[in-house]
Amino acid sequence: MVTISELQVKEIISVENGQKIGHMTDLEIDVDKGKLIAIVVGTKGKMMGLFGKDEELVIPWSSILTIGEDVILVKNVTRPELYPPEKPE
């Protein structure tokens, strides 16, 4: 079993190019189905949530290859989508 705090300290790395993507800042969970949907990674340039653009990268759970002792290896996130902004109502 892995706790959320243990996941947050693991570096997320793309297997395609070895790029360090960052660290997990949040999870998306489908509470109706009890399944993890995605991990959310804060973008570089944002310092302690205070400065920079409020953008996040969402990595679908299906893109996670393995969760190791120190890293989370992911695929198909060389060009991750930015977390879609909320639509005005």
Side-chain angles (χ1 to χ4, degrees):
M1 183 168 67
V2 178
T3 64
I4 292 173
S5 59
E6 290 173 336
L7 287 175
Q8 289 178 315
V9 296
K10 296 179 189 289
E11 186 82 44
I12 299 170
I13 307 221
S14 170
V15 295
E16 283 90 8
N17 59 13
Q19 175 186 7
K20 293 180 181 180
I21 297 171
H23 291 88
M24 184 190 85
T25 57
D26 208 350
L27 287 173
E28 284 192 14
I29 302 171
D30 183 333
V31 293
D32 295 329
K33 295 181 181 178
K35 290 187 173 186
L36 292 171
I37 303 298
I39 58 174
V40 181
V41 180
T43 58
K44 292 181 182 178
K46 189 171 182 181
M47 184 182 299
M48 294 189 209
L50 301 173
F51 305 106
K53 293 183 179 180
D54 189 16
E55 296 175 343
E56 297 173 325
L57 302 176
V58 177
I59 300 173
W61 193 255
S62 60
S63 293
I64 296 174
L65 294 175
T66 189
I67 298 174
E69 287 187 38
D70 300 321
V71 297
I72 299 172
L73 298 178
V74 295
K75 63 180 180 177
N76 301 325
V77 287
T78 53
R79 300 179 77 185
E81 294 182 28
L82 291 176
Y83 195 84
E86 293 183 25
K87 295 179 182 177
E89 295 180 26

